[in-house]
């Protein structure tokens, strides 16, 4: 592991000079900044609504004013360009303001999903070296501010807490009060450079600890702007509906940066409930969305009784699971001609492949699309490192302007993932057809995709293994109609012990583990199926779990 004094990642560490020159010449990297874009729309369309969440509605001018005030308050609290600022907020307007405040002063946003608890949040704070954090009080029965106050003692760099929609304590900043801070351009300073670190998004992947994916403004803007223009074909009068967490890749890029790219609107939903989601679509006349595929199934089931007017919704992008033909057809009928589109990507590359407007149903239901944007290259490689023939399975590798610079303070993981030619090895498996359309077929990674969220099996195994009744554990996915996959712990008990689902989940709750990582099924076995080299045969366990 690398120390806090390790140098930050640079675009020149990630790309050679010829690639950087091509990205700029071709307009894939346009430069600028999030703050400059916000200024543009606040000047051109100041009264156009930018963000709403069912409680708060803010136009472009108001978002700019509040972001500048909060940025100044952070500067006065000691935050400097390049410093990391963590933010754990629900899908609220405050998240958008907070992100743009951090971006304006050249600090680096570290978004944290609200489902994460003390164990995960503590790791992110310590690894990122965050000097400030923006959070809330009680949300869905959990007190986030109290957690941060407790964690602050073990995170010496963390000096400032900003509390939104709850009372700030002594020495803390009230979000709303901070947003009213009077300031000017001289205090806020110059806009940050487009190749500086912009956000660090933590993702578990296959690892037992989350790793921080470092993106610049250019790498994020490439994906957000490209998806907005080439895939969503977003217009200024469009309204993006975003129930996916804006603290993670899909929500941030599609739900915040996409609308910002064209000066349109985003509507955020903080708690996914399909009936409420449909009501919001109808009320705000939402035109597009992007979620994990299971969200669509739940929305369609709710629409049978709700019978909402969904005619405004013309486009819904899905990731994390294939789109069945029947689902695409049902969506078309329920949303009055709306189109369901697949996308393959991950936090490291954002958008890899997707279908595009005009692709027929058989393409949308039978593949994960072709290269998402101009400038992206996708290849499939075999175990020998060479490209596989069309139709053969290989690891999906990405090259392009949207690739992550690397993993924060982790050169070993970076080197293991990005090869010397700049190709990012995703760890996912796929097959391509003669027309260049990809179908994701599996993964080298040991992850569980629950409702579109990656959960590291190794991480959950480490938690369950600490239970006093468990001698050995292996965590695998089992299929779920609603969420795609759920977490199952296969355990070998210690002599005389009988581990139960209730006992294990109660034990893990006491250790402040994110709820989505708790096993939802426990299967007790006498011994694990093993290979000749002593590895657990998880494919056998998956069959066992399905039959259990």
């Amino acid at each position: 592991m690398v120390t806090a004094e390790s140098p930050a990642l640079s675009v020149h560490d990630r790309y050679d000079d010829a690639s950087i020159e091509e990205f700029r010449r071709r307009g894939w990297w346009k430069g600028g900044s999030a703050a400059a874009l916000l200024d543009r729309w606040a000047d051109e369309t100041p009264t156009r609504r930018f963000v709403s969440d069912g409680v708060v509605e803010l136009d472009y001018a108001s978002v700019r004013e509040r972001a500048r005030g909060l940025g100044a308050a952070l500067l006065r609290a000691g935050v400097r360009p390049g410093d990391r600022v963590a933010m754990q907020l629900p899908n609220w307007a405050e998240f958008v303001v907070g992100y743009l405040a951090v971006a304006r002063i050249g600090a680096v946003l570290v978004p944290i999903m609200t489902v994460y608890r003390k164990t995960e949040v503590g790791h992110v704070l310590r690894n990122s070296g965050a000097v400030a954090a923006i959070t809330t009080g009680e949300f869905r029965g959990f007190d986030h501010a109290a957690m941060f106050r407790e964690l602050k003692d073990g995170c010496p760099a963390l000096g400032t807490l900003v509390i939104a929609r709850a009372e700030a304590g002594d020495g803390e900043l009230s979000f709303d009060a901070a947003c009213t801070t009077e300031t000017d351009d001289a205090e806020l300073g110059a806009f940050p450079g487009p190749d500086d670190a912009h956000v660090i998004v933590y993702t578990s992947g296959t690892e037992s600890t989350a790793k921080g994916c470092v993106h610049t403004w250019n790498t994020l803007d490439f994906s957000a702007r490209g998806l907005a223009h080439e895939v969503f074909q977003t217009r200024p009068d469009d309204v993006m509906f975003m129930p996916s967490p804006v603290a993670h890749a899909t929500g941030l890029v599609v739900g915040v940066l996409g609308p910002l790219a064209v000066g349109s609107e985003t509507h955020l939903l903080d708690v996914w409930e399909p009936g409420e989601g449909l009501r919001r679509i109808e009320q705000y006349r939402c035109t597009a969305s992007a979620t994990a595929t299971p969200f669509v199934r739940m929305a369609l089931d709710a629409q049978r009784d709700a019978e909402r007017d969904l005619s405004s919704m013309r486009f819904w992008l899905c990731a994390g699971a294939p789109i069945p033909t029947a689902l695409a057809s049902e969506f078309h009928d329920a949303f009055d001609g709306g189109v369901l589109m697949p996308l393959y990507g991950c936090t490291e590359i954002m958008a890899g492949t997707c279908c595009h407007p005009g692709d027929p149903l058989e393409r949308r239901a039978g593949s994960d699309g072709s290269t998402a944007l101009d400038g992206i290259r996708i290849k499939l490689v075999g175990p020998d490192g060479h490209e596989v023939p069309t139709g053969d399975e290989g690891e999906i590798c990405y090259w392009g302007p949207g690739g992550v610079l690397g993993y924060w303070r982790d050169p070993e993981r970076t080197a293991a993932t990005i090869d010397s030619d700049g190709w990012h090895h995703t760890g996912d498996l796929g097959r391509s057809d003669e027309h260049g359309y990809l179908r994701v077929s599996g993964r080298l990674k040991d992850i569980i995709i629950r409702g579109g969220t990656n959960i590291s099996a190794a991480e959950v195994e480490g938690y369950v293994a600490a239970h006093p009744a468990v001698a050995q554990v292996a965590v695998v996915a089992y299929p779920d109609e609603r969420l795609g996959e759920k977490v199952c712990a296969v355990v070998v008990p210690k002599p005389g012990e009988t581990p139960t689902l209730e006992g294990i989940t109660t034990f893990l709750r006491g250790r402040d583990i994110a709820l989505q990582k708790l096993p939802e099924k426990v299967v007790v076995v006498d011994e694990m199926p093993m290979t000749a080299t002593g590895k657990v045969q998880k494919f056998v366990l998956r069959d066992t779990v399905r039959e259990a």
Side-chain angles (χ1 to χ4, degrees):
M1 182 57 66
V2 182
T3 68
E5 288 72 31
S6 299
L9 290 162
S10 158
V11 292
H12 297 284
D13 298 326
R14 175 67 172 86
Y15 299 101
D16 58 39
D17 291 342
S19 298
I20 293 171
E21 192 279 330
E22 181 184 10
F23 294 167
R24 291 172 177 160
R25 177 175 52 82
R26 300 287 294 271
W28 297 331
W29 284 358
K30 283 188 174 294
S33 68
L37 259 183
L38 177 61
D39 274 1
R40 174 187 174 182
W41 303 124
D43 288 339
E44 294 182 11
T45 57
T47 60
R48 177 180 291 157
R49 189 166 58 194
F50 177 17
V51 58
S52 57
D53 60 18
V55 175
V56 174
E57 296 185 5
L58 297 173
D59 58 28
Y60 273 93
S62 299
V63 171
R64 176 171 64 178
E65 181 181 7
R66 292 176 67 79
R68 285 168 62 87
L70 178 57
L74 290 171
L75 286 173
R76 294 175 194 181
V79 178
R80 295 293 175 260
D83 284 346
R84 278 73 62 202
V85 177
M87 182 158 62
Q88 188 182 47
L89 286 177
N91 279 21
W92 292 346
E94 287 87 343
F95 185 98
V96 177
V97 172
Y99 159 64
L100 290 166
V102 172
R104 176 62 186 87
I105 63 175
V108 182
L109 180 73
V110 182
I112 305 174
M113 293 199 294
T114 55
V115 295
Y116 286 171
R117 296 295 182 256
K118 184 178 176 182
T119 298
E120 298 92 353
V121 175
H123 166 71
V124 170
L125 293 176
R126 289 186 294 271
N127 183 259
S128 68
V131 303
I134 303 170
T135 191
T136 187
E138 189 167 306
F139 176 69
R140 305 192 74 181
F142 182 79
D143 193 334
H144 294 267
M147 175 182 65
F148 274 86
R149 289 165 188 147
E150 184 179 350
L151 286 168
K152 195 175 176 187
D153 292 338
C155 300
L158 186 61
T160 301
L161 288 183
V162 183
I163 310 299
R165 298 196 190 185
E167 186 174 349
D170 292 340
E172 299 171 354
L173 298 179
S174 161
F175 188 97
D176 285 337
C179 287
T180 65
T181 305
E182 293 188 8
T183 186
D184 55 27
D185 289 339
E187 179 180 23
L188 294 173
F191 292 144
D195 293 327
D196 297 338
H198 183 65
V199 301
I200 303 175
V201 185
Y202 279 78
T203 178
S204 291
T206 63
E207 316 295 345
S208 58
T209 57
K211 52 191 184 292
C213 302
V214 181
H215 278 281
T216 69
W217 168 250
N218 270 333
T219 62
L220 278 190
D221 177 59
F222 167 77
S223 297
R225 178 168 36 87
L227 289 173
H229 288 294
E230 297 180 33
V231 178
F232 285 94
Q233 299 182 347
T234 309
R235 305 180 296 261
D237 60 349
D238 276 328
V239 181
M240 178 63 66
F241 172 60
M242 188 45 57
S244 300
V246 289
H248 214 266
T250 300
L252 180 61
V253 169
V254 180
V256 180
L257 297 187
L260 183 63
V262 298
S264 62
E265 179 183 342
T266 188
H267 179 75
L268 307 178
L269 179 64
D270 60 356
V271 178
W272 170 248
E273 193 285 314
E276 177 64 12
L278 296 178
R279 189 187 72 78
R280 297 282 190 93
I281 290 171
E282 181 181 57
Q283 178 183 350
Y284 288 87
R285 305 308 296 155
C286 299
T287 57
S289 188
T291 67
T293 307
F295 282 55
V296 180
R297 177 70 271 160
M298 288 183 264
L300 290 174
D301 290 343
Q303 175 63 357
R304 293 196 188 101
D305 296 325
E307 296 184 349
R308 296 286 184 181
D309 177 5
L310 307 177
S311 58
S312 62
M313 180 69 75
R314 57 182 175 82
F315 195 94
W316 195 310
L317 203 67
C318 287
I323 298 175
T325 301
L327 186 71
S329 298
E330 190 178 345
F331 182 90
H332 182 276
D333 294 339
F335 285 81
D336 294 330
V339 175
L340 201 59
M341 289 283 197
L343 175 140
Y344 163 72
C346 60
T347 305
E348 287 89 341
I349 65 173
M350 297 301 171
T353 65
C354 69
C355 282
H356 297 77
D359 279 344
L361 176 61
E362 57 268 22
R363 288 283 183 210
R364 291 185 278 120
S367 78
D368 291 287
S370 55
T371 51
L373 305 171
D374 185 31
I376 293 174
R377 301 177 200 165
I378 299 290
K379 70 177 181 180
L380 306 179
V381 300
D384 59 1
H386 298 298
E387 286 192 62
V388 301
T390 298
D392 284 5
E393 187 176 66
E395 183 184 9
I396 303 168
C397 298
Y398 169 102
W399 185 95
V404 67
L405 295 192
Y407 298 118
W408 179 255
R409 294 176 177 166
D410 203 337
E412 291 85 4
R413 282 182 181 173
T414 300
T417 305
I418 303 170
D419 67 27
S420 58
D421 294 321
W423 287 89
H424 184 100
H425 292 248
T426 66
D428 296 318
L429 300 171
R431 291 184 171 88
S432 62
D433 64 19
E434 64 275 15
H435 303 292
Y437 283 78
L438 175 76
R439 170 58 94 194
V440 178
S441 57
R443 50 190 180 262
L444 296 172
K445 302 178 177 183
D446 193 8
I447 60 174
I448 298 155
I449 303 179
R450 184 188 187 279
T453 298
N454 287 2
I455 298 172
S456 165
E459 180 183 6
V460 180
E461 285 168 353
Y463 298 145
V464 176
H467 191 282
V470 173
Q472 189 178 3
V473 58
V475 168
V476 297
Y478 72 96
D480 180 78
E481 183 178 349
R482 215 167 52 90
L483 296 173
E485 293 179 340
K486 286 186 176 181
V487 179
C488 177
V490 182
V491 300
V492 176
K494 289 182 178 178
E497 300 287 351
T498 307
T500 64
L501 177 62
E502 181 181 2
I504 288 174
T505 55
T506 299
F507 174 79
L508 296 183
R509 284 192 182 96
R511 297 198 163 201
D512 295 307
I513 307 302
L515 295 180
Q516 64 183 355
K517 296 179 183 178
L518 299 182
E520 291 163 278
K521 178 184 287 189
V522 168
V523 174
V524 178
V525 296
D526 293 331
E527 61 181 7
M528 295 288 183
M530 310 292 282
T531 67
T533 58
K535 294 182 179 179
V536 175
Q537 295 177 309
K538 286 200 169 181
F539 69 94
V540 175
L541 293 182
R542 292 186 186 99
D543 291 339
T544 301
V545 167
R546 290 190 187 98
E547 296 168 2

